[in-house]
Amino acid sequence: DQFAAWGNKSSVSIDLERGVRVVATSSLMMAPGTASKRYRFSYRIRVENIVDVIGSMKKEEQTTAEVGGGEQSDEAALVEHRAVQLLGRTWNISERGQGHKTVLQRLLEEGVIVDTENNSEKDGDGGNELRVVQTVNEPRTGAVGHLPVLGPGEVFEYMSGAEIATPSGCMEGYFHMASV
């Protein structure tokens, strides 16, 4: 059941310098019905401290590069033991413009009207642009009420949701983090 709801709908972002990986996964939970004209999406965010993985990769590279068995660098030693704290987040939630097409654009797409002068592209992308509908700028409130501190190998995961007027959209942004 979990794979059916969340499978193959993920986006991954990795910050190698800070040793953090974020996996965002979304799923359509409810299409518009008679009571609501909005699409309800849920999303799951997984924040991972991967400095231990990066540290072991750096050690392997260093060992391979060194012939005489030199010393481990101070940087590699620090990376292995660094914890991070999630302080807050900044998101933009956008709708894909297809829900806001003009009547003419819809009729052209459905083939009801044929554009003999081929002027259908003069309005840009045909209503497929993104339009920001919600901005979350909370750099100091954590995520879902938590300000987790993640040691090497630790994970923080939460779920939340958004409602938009179109069947397609975008959520982009970043976490505010600190090394502790």
Side-chain angles (χ1 to χ4, degrees):
D1 290 339
Q2 286 291 311
F3 185 75
W6 300 102
N8 204 21
K9 299 171 190 161
S10 295
S11 177
V12 178
S13 180
I14 300 174
D15 183 339
L16 292 173
E17 183 180 325
R18 292 171 186 85
V20 175
R21 174 173 45 206
V22 176
V23 181
T25 309
S26 67
S27 181
L28 175 63
M29 300 307 288
M30 187 173 67
T34 55
S36 173
K37 301 261 189 254
R38 301 182 65 76
Y39 293 83
R40 183 174 297 162
F41 289 87
S42 62
Y43 57 89
R44 180 169 50 190
I45 304 291
R46 180 180 173 95
V47 181
E48 305 170 331
N49 182 333
I50 60 169
V51 294
D52 54 337
V53 175
I54 294 169
S56 65
M57 288 171 40
K58 285 185 178 183
K59 270 197 243 177
E60 283 181 28
E61 289 174 6
Q62 190 176 25
T63 305
T64 305
E66 294 176 358
V67 178
E71 296 179 18
Q72 180 179 348
S73 73
D74 291 337
E75 179 186 332
L78 288 174
V79 166
E80 287 182 26
H81 303 289
R82 187 170 47 186
V84 293
Q85 183 173 19
L86 190 156
L87 301 174
R89 70 240 183 269
T90 298
W91 297 129
N92 281 328
I93 299 173
S94 303
E95 298 174 340
R96 187 133 339 253
Q98 64 195 65
H100 302 284
K101 292 181 183 175
T102 66
V103 173
L104 177 61
Q105 288 171 327
R106 288 188 197 135
L107 292 174
L108 284 168
E109 285 180 3
E110 293 170 8
V112 175
I113 299 175
V114 177
D115 185 1
T116 57
E117 295 179 21
N118 200 19
N119 290 330
S120 60
E121 294 300 315
K122 69 181 175 187
D123 290 329
D125 198 11
N128 203 27
E129 69 282 344
L130 289 172
R131 182 175 63 90
V132 175
V133 294
Q134 182 180 359
T135 298
V136 175
N137 187 16
E138 299 292 341
R140 296 187 185 107
T141 61
V144 294
H146 297 276
L147 295 156
V149 174
L150 304 175
E154 293 183 334
V155 171
F156 172 68
E157 188 172 71
Y158 71 94
M159 291 179 56
S160 192
E163 286 189 3
I164 59 176
T166 59
S168 176
C170 176
M171 183 172 169
E172 58 187 350
Y174 52 92
F175 286 108
H176 300 269
M177 308 283 288
S179 294
V180 293

